[in-house]
Amino acid sequence: MVSPGEQEVKITGTAAWRLRKVGILDVDLCGPSIPHMLNVRSKHVHQCDAGWVPVYANPEQTIAVMSIGFLLENPDDAVVWRGPKKTALIKQFVSDVAWGELDYLIVDTPPGTSDEHLAVVESLRGHGVEGAVLVTTPQAVSTGDVRREITFCKKTGLRILGIVENMSGFACPHCSECTNIFSKGGGEELAKQTGVPFLGCVPLDPQLSSSLEEGGDFIQAFPLSATFSAINKIAQKVMSGAAVRR
């Protein structure tokens, strides 16, 4: 599980993950942004004997994606559902999607501790969940939300692989200098206070933001950027943390 949505797109694009078969399950039912960021909004889900066939985000078919965004007639349609209907769809995503053989399944959840999170934990409990990656920005308002997510993980028995501090400073695209526009260190301090591993910081980077907005490949476009280096290190830590349990 990863929260919020932008982070797993960054992680799956790194070199460490490209050699593996990765599935991305987007359970942010009210704000399905993964198809946009992976530039697969125009694609559709098809049926086969084994269930729904996920959409593949690359020619090698190593990144499989499933999202309610593929099922909406209009991308601007609002999903106005109560908890039971959300839960039923998430369970269907887990059981009725023909993922094939995956090395990793990454679940993008919305912020908070609501029906989507409970449905994911219950649906995947028998599949050997490796753990959750929690994403925060440095501000106290955000770390407060993530503190409650830590409590949720502990109550449901979900191992926490670590915390990522997103939007940690602004990386200038011209000189690469990093300026702390908001603040810095909130995620790392939260990790220390709660005894959770700290995975690293990702700065605000206009080049990364542009790539996600346009569905571009940030890794290929800016392989030498400090932001890529930071994301790659986080991906390595996530994989190492998951491997410890295997």
Side-chain angles (χ1 to χ4, degrees), residues 28-40:
D28 191 348
L29 302 182
C30 296
S33 57
I34 300 301
H36 179 101
M37 289 188 282
L38 288 175
N39 198 26
V40 290

Side-chain angles (χ1 to χ4, degrees), residues 84-157:
K85 196 168 183 179
K86 290 182 178 181
T87 299
L89 181 64
I90 290 171
K91 289 182 176 179
Q92 195 172 2
F93 277 168
V94 172
S95 62
D96 294 348
V97 174
W99 293 106
E101 291 294 325
L102 294 177
D103 294 307
Y104 296 95
L105 175 64
I106 300 178
V107 183
D108 165 38
T109 65
T113 55
S114 57
D115 295 312
E116 290 89 339
H117 304 79
L118 286 169
V120 167
V121 171
E122 292 171 359
S123 300
L124 292 176
R125 197 174 293 281
H127 297 274
V129 178
E130 299 292 348
V133 176
L134 306 180
V135 184
T136 184
T137 56
Q139 303 96 316
V141 171
S142 181
T143 57
D145 289 341
V146 173
R147 190 183 296 273
R148 286 183 281 275
E149 290 176 359
I150 292 171
T151 302
F152 170 88
C153 290
K154 291 179 178 178
K155 284 186 176 181
T156 56

